[in-house]
């Protein structure tokens, strides 16, 4: 008889092997998907690799594409480790970008040393406020955070759509494109070696989240909340306050993704450049096993895939839409591996009726 038996914990070796096998299986499934699409597998994967790592410029663009995913992935790590299902990273990315743009309108003419920090702080406040509002609804009125964050996504996205579709923020004389005017140079994130300020901030955020979760009382409360909130309440932890803090931190990290895209790359606010960053960040955080450094690696891989997808779609018959499908396949296999590592197989004889 073969039976599944739940175990308390799996060693890091077993977890590592499971995740590696899951990624390999996901890649094999992705290859099958490309074959089903009728494209040349070798040519498609070769173009994907060339677009992602073909030369120094491609590597730089892949790193730039990974920056917002690091932030939204870390946002997932903070919320999910606390057992809070924050699906609102998408709206919090938009809220951060909108708050940053609003601040840039208020500080026109300010020197860069004032303008850049002000934009970043405004974005963090905007993203954190949107996320914290859902946390208050959860703690005060027991509103499920999945529903509130999802609904708030629509509200924030449609608010930006109103502001840009003939609203007060649309570029003068522009009717075909729903976008703001170009942002003044003094608000641009400074560049170093071809990467804007978002790159070192993303690395710093990864180290900070890893330290807070592993080494601080707040991190202990977040992890404990994820395992057993009732026990944490009996231990004297103010659960409501911890939930609000976790959501605010998660929202602030998501907002940084919006800042990096608008003030580091595009230099104008458009919904198209922000779409999907929040939802992709959830996948990145899950594939990174809700570990900050694992999330950083997953974000780099996804950034490379996103950058290589464009090159692949131009040079081959493989549609770029296959890349999100490949990302979803990888997520499914990794989630499957996560579940399987919680169980062990037991082999034995089936007990008879009389023992």
């Amino acid at each position: 008889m073969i039976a599944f038996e739940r175990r308390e914990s799996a060693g890091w070796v077993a977890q590592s092997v499971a995740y590696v096998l899951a990624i390999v299986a996901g890649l094999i499934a992705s290859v099958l998907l490309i074959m089903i699409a009728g494209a040349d597998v070798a040519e498609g994967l070769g173009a994907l690799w060339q677009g992602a790592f073909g030369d120094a410029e491609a590597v730089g663009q892949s790193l730039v594409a990974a920056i917002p995913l690091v932030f939204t992935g870390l946002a997932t790590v903070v919320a999910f480790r606390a057992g809070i299902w924050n699906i609102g990273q998408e709206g919090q990315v938009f809220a951060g970008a909108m708050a940053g743009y609003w601040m840039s309108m208020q500080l026109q003419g300010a020197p860069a040393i004032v303008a850049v920090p002000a934009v970043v702080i405004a974005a963090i406040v905007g993203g954190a406020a949107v996320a914290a509002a859902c946390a208050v609804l959860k703690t005060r009125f027991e509103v499920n955070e999945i529903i509130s964050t999802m609904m708030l996504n629509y509200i924030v996205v449609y608010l930006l759509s109103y502001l840009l579709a003939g609203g007060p923020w649309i570029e003068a004389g522009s009717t075909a494109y729903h976008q703001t005017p170009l942002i003044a140079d003094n608000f641009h994130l400074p560049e170093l070696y071809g990467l804007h300020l978002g790159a070192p901030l993303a690395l710093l955020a990864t180290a900070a989240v890893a330290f807070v979760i592993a080494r601080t009382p707040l991190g202990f409360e977040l992890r404990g909340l994820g395992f057993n909130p009732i026990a944490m309440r009996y231990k004297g932890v103010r659960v409501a306050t911890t939930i609000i803090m976790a959501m605010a931190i998660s929202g602030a990290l998501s907002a940084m993704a919006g800042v990096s895209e608008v003030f580091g790359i595009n230099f104008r606010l458009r919904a198209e450049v922000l779409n999907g960053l929040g939802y992709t960040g959830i996948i990145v955080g899950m594939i990174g096993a809700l570990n900050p450094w694992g999330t950083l690696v997953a974000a780099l891989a996804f950034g490379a895939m996103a950058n290589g997808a464009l090159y692949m779609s131009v040079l081959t018959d493989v549609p770029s839409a296959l890349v999100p499908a490949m990302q979803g396949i990888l997520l499914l296999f990794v989630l499957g591996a996560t579940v399987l590592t919680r169980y062990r197989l037991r082999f034995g004889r089936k007990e008879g009726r009389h023992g």
Side-chain angles (χ1 to χ4, degrees):
M1 183 183 68
I2 301 176
F4 285 97
E5 181 181 86
R6 189 177 178 86
R7 54 186 173 187
E8 293 298 324
S9 62
W12 67 270
V13 175
Q15 292 189 34
S16 302
V17 170
Y19 286 132
V20 169
L21 291 177
I23 291 173
V24 170
L27 291 176
I28 293 174
S30 299
V31 167
L32 293 176
L33 188 64
I34 295 176
M35 292 174 66
I36 293 172
D40 186 298
V41 174
E43 185 182 17
L45 293 181
L48 184 67
W49 177 268
Q50 190 69 18
F53 305 109
D55 52 32
E57 184 180 0
V59 172
Q61 291 173 348
S62 295
L63 290 175
V64 169
I67 292 171
L69 300 181
V70 175
F71 286 118
T72 51
L74 291 174
T76 300
V77 171
V78 172
F80 283 31
R81 289 289 290 267
I84 307 167
W85 305 112
N86 177 19
I87 313 298
Q89 284 94 330
E90 188 80 1
Q92 292 146 24
V93 170
F94 276 70
M98 292 164 67
Y101 181 74
W102 177 83
M103 181 58 74
S104 72
M105 294 173 65
Q106 311 308 311
L107 296 179
Q108 292 180 6
I113 195 170
V114 174
V116 172
V119 162
V120 171
I121 292 172
I124 288 174
V125 171
V130 169
C134 296
V136 171
L137 289 175
K138 176 182 175 65
T139 55
R140 294 292 300 274
F141 305 105
E142 298 183 355
V143 176
N144 187 293
E145 72 272 21
I146 296 176
I147 296 174
S148 62
T149 53
M150 183 65 77
M151 293 298 103
L152 207 52
N153 282 349
Y154 288 106
I155 293 173
V156 175
V157 171
Y158 281 124
L159 176 60
L160 178 61
S161 178
Y162 158 73
L163 292 171
L164 296 181
W169 284 5
I170 192 172
E171 184 177 21
S174 175
T175 56
Y177 301 101
H178 295 166
Q179 60 187 18
T180 64
L182 280 171
I183 296 169
D185 293 348
N186 51 321
F187 290 98
H188 294 186
L189 299 183
E191 285 192 10
L192 185 63
Y193 299 112
L195 297 175
H196 61 71
L197 181 64
L201 289 180
L203 195 59
L204 186 63
T206 304
V209 170
F211 177 78
V212 168
I213 289 179
R215 301 295 180 88
T216 67
L218 176 60
F220 170 76
E221 292 180 4
L222 293 177
R223 288 183 280 120
L225 202 59
F227 282 115
N228 194 332
I230 297 175
M232 296 303 290
R233 186 175 285 113
Y234 280 111
K235 191 175 176 61
V237 173
R238 293 181 296 179
V239 171
T241 303
T242 306
I243 290 175
I244 293 173
M245 289 180 66
M247 283 291 282
I249 295 171
S250 180
L253 288 167
S254 296
M256 286 302 300
V259 170
S260 67
E261 282 298 291
V262 173
F263 295 90
I265 302 174
N266 294 280
F267 308 124
R268 67 166 85 231
L269 180 54
R270 291 190 295 135
E272 290 81 3
V273 303
L274 303 175
N275 280 335
L277 292 176
Y279 295 126
T280 307
I282 295 175
I283 299 176
V284 167
M286 295 300 290
I287 289 182
L290 298 183
N291 178 288
W293 297 109
T295 298
L296 176 66
V297 174
L300 292 173
F302 272 52
M305 289 175 68
N307 191 46
L310 180 62
Y311 194 81
M312 180 179 68
S313 64
V314 171
L315 293 186
T316 70
D317 295 330
V318 181
S320 60
L322 277 184
V323 170
M326 293 164 62
Q327 294 172 347
I329 289 172
L330 285 172
L331 174 64
L332 287 176
F333 277 94
V334 170
L335 290 180
T338 303
V339 173
L340 289 177
T341 54
R342 296 173 185 169
Y343 296 86
R344 62 164 59 94
L345 284 176
R346 283 289 188 191
F347 298 91
R349 292 181 180 178
K350 187 175 183 180
E351 295 183 359
R353 180 175 297 178
H354 302 291

